[in-house]
Amino acid sequence: MKITLALFVFALLAGCGTVSQRPSRLEPSSYGCMSAVVKQKLPAGLPDKQAHCVASGLIARYCSLPEAYMAGMGKELRDVVTRGDVEWADWRADRLGIACARRAADDTALVACCEK
């Protein structure tokens, strides 16, 4: 019940919150925007934690902050259901990416922040 309520609140806030110097949104819907960012903007071949960091940061930049949190949570919930690799470190990497997005002036700076 608490998870359902949390997801509902995140869904309501999905359009709220942004980062400075945010580029144009890639798609109007939350899922469409998150998917487009991962397909179009995420560099290939990144190590797992760096991929989490960069993906969340890019979603925060191109979509919104709540959508970036929602994407990270959704990925881990999917891993639970599909018996994937569920790790607390993935969630920490997602949060680091969101923090990097708040400071980064562009995608290159975001990727550099996640490399540290």
Side-chain angles (χ1 to χ4, degrees):
M1 180 68 174
K2 289 182 182 181
I3 291 175
T4 304
L5 179 59
L7 290 174
F8 178 73
V9 170
F10 274 124
L12 288 177
L13 296 174
C16 303
T18 189
V19 296
S20 62
Q21 302 176 0
R22 185 172 79 85
S24 298
R25 189 174 175 88
L26 297 180
E27 292 289 333
S29 73
S30 291
Y31 182 77
C33 189
M34 290 182 265
S35 294
V37 166
V38 170
K39 289 176 186 169
Q40 297 174 27
K41 301 291 181 180
L42 185 65
L46 295 175
D48 182 58
K49 300 306 176 264
Q50 190 177 354
H52 274 270
C53 182
V54 174
S56 290
L58 290 171
I59 291 169
R61 280 183 51 75
Y62 287 91
C63 304
S64 71
L65 296 172
E67 287 167 317
Y69 285 109
M70 194 166 50
M73 184 186 332
K75 167 65 170 74
E76 293 309 304
L77 288 174
R78 183 179 74 191
D79 286 348
V80 168
V81 172
T82 62
R83 297 183 186 210
D85 188 20
V86 180
E87 293 184 64
W88 184 250
D90 289 347
W91 181 243
R92 284 194 307 262
D94 293 335
R95 291 191 327 260
L96 175 62
I98 294 166
C100 287
R102 291 177 191 256
R103 306 188 285 275
D106 57 25
D107 294 356
T108 304
L110 176 98
V111 172
C113 178
C114 287
E115 287 176 349
K116 295 180 182 178

